[in-house]
Amino acid sequence: MNKLILLTLLLCGAILPASAQKNFKYKAALHKIDSTGFYRIGLQPELVAKAKPDLSDIRIADAKGDFVPYIQAGSLPQKSQKSFVVFPEISDTPKTDTSTVFIIENKTGLVLDRLWIRLQNTAAKRKVNLLGSDDLNQWFAIQEDIPLQEAVQNSEGTYLQSLSFPASNYRYLKIQVNDKNKNPVKFLQAGIYTEYASTAQSYTPVSPLNIIRADSNKTTFIDIKLNDNYQVNKLHLNISAPRYYKRSVTVYQFVNNGRELLSEVELSSDKTPDLLIAAKTNHLLIEISNGDNQPLSIGEIKAFQSDEYLISYLEAKQSYRFLVGDPSAQVPEYDLKFFADSIGGNTPVIKHEAVVKNTGYAVAAKPAGKDYTVLIWVAIIVSLGLLLLLTLKMTREVKKKEGER
């Protein structure tokens, strides 16, 4: 019986990791490291393009196929508590039965891609949506389905969580929690650390771009197509003329054959000609209102993704790879999130190699080949059933012998 138990456990251990990996369409090998420790792993645009918008389907697998815990770099706590700037809460926040809404004002005017929120201690599992607005009337999506962390045991009764999102400069930010008729969570305050805010956001170019421009009826239309479903957080327009200009600009993305409004901003000669957006698409449209002015002379247009990082504890000389592209995957729950304060500030940065198709997924998807997965699971279930029957029989025999004594 012991041999049967061992065989069953080994069979399960071999099948489950392989079964989980075949759900991911793509993979990318990580660069090998020489020293064991925490590493900051940069996510290149080609990998993010294959992932879900919230990056919940990204996994790190070791050579055995086991998933390795990670946290997003934005979850790291800030050491200094003296330079925290609290954003004022908008008092006339609408109340609903299905969601908790917390609206704050970014009076600093800084471009932000991170926000720290203080909550009353809670172990409730919730997801939040972050929206932005400049007038408190029209709201635009910034990031959706951000998981709220559970409070770590402490004596303060409150805790801080960092929300990471594409860079935005909206005046107002709305944190919306879908409570689904459950009791609401309690937000206390939100703000930023000034040291962090003073650090310039870094970006990685997204290319190539196929651009078509048309000028008509006092409006310039710029149609941008990409060769994959990239995450785009900044568009840079190289404007050479006129010397002085101030134009209203509207940016759209195309999703499921429909046009979705991303942003309404101004391009001005006294500011950098950058459009900050939060898009996950392969098709963008820029509309520039020229009024009675001549169209802007625009040269090269570049698209960028804000830099994204995962932090994980990796072993030296070991092989690791990213797995991505499982539409059914959910945000993983790793214990590592409770030890974020143990990660040093000078974490080495590594990259991943080219994104390729996951051959395990392709083999599983071939209709011509025979799939023995069902038979294997039947064998496992039968084995477990036999183990249960043997265990019950042995238990009865032991009790019978004890009764005879």
Side-chain angles (χ1 to χ4, degrees), residues 65-280:
D66 296 325
F67 291 153
V68 179
Y70 69 82
I71 60 174
Q72 292 194 12
S75 300
L76 293 179
Q78 299 293 301
K79 300 301 181 182
S80 172
Q81 300 293 325
K82 297 181 180 179
S83 55
F84 187 72
V85 178
V86 177
F87 288 168
E89 180 185 0
I90 303 301
S91 57
D92 56 347
T93 301
K95 305 295 181 183
T96 67
D97 296 330
T98 58
S99 64
T100 300
V101 176
F102 188 70
I103 301 177
I104 55 175
E105 183 179 2
N106 175 17
K107 288 189 173 182
T108 65
L110 294 170
V111 176
L112 306 175
D113 70 344
R114 200 150 302 157
L115 185 71
W116 281 264
I117 55 174
R118 184 176 296 279
L119 300 96
Q120 199 75 36
N121 276 357
T122 179
K125 295 184 180 296
R126 297 285 193 277
K127 290 186 177 181
V128 306
N129 297 330
L130 185 66
L131 301 92
S133 174
D134 289 318
D135 57 9
L136 289 176
N137 292 318
Q138 192 169 20
W139 293 92
F140 303 98
I142 300 176
Q143 185 79 27
E144 296 180 339
D145 294 330
I146 308 172
L148 280 183
Q149 298 173 1
E150 299 178 27
V152 182
Q153 290 185 358
N154 60 61
S155 58
E156 299 176 3
T158 67
Y159 70 104
L160 272 176
Q161 177 182 345
S162 170
L163 302 182
S164 180
F165 49 87
S168 304
N169 60 348
Y170 292 109
R171 181 176 176 181
Y172 301 101
L173 297 171
K174 178 195 289 187
I175 304 169
Q176 187 177 54
V177 185
N178 187 355
D179 295 317
K180 295 182 179 179
N181 298 317
K182 297 179 181 179
N183 292 327
V185 295
K186 186 175 183 180
F187 291 92
L188 301 176
Q189 59 182 205
I192 59 171
Y193 288 90
T194 53
E195 309 98 85
Y196 173 81
S198 62
T199 304
Q201 172 65 36
S202 54
Y203 296 89
T204 300
V206 174
S207 61
L209 305 180
N210 183 16
I211 299 174
I212 299 175
R213 171 176 172 164
D215 297 297
S216 63
N217 296 328
K218 301 184 179 182
T219 303
T220 297
F221 299 90
I222 302 175
D223 187 90
I224 302 174
K225 291 185 179 179
L226 304 96
N227 61 1
D228 206 342
N229 198 37
Y230 284 104
Q231 175 179 307
V232 181
N233 302 119
K234 184 174 76 169
L235 294 169
H236 176 77
L237 283 62
N238 186 7
I239 301 174
S240 57
R243 175 65 183 85
Y244 298 100
Y245 61 87
K246 189 173 185 179
R247 311 284 171 92
S248 297
V249 180
T250 307
V251 185
Y252 300 91
Q253 70 174 351
F254 291 88
V255 179
N256 299 326
N257 298 321
R259 193 170 76 167
E260 180 180 300
L261 179 63
L262 289 175
S263 179
E264 291 181 326
V265 294
E266 282 187 341
L267 275 176
S268 177
S269 54
D270 59 357
K271 296 180 181 179
T272 304
D274 291 336
L275 302 175
L276 299 177
I277 59 175
K280 185 76 162 61

Side-chain angles (χ1 to χ4, degrees), residues 350-368:
I350 62 171
K351 296 182 178 180
H352 60 80
E353 298 178 6
V355 179
V356 297
K357 290 185 177 180
N358 182 9
T359 52
Y361 178 89
V363 170
K366 287 182 179 178

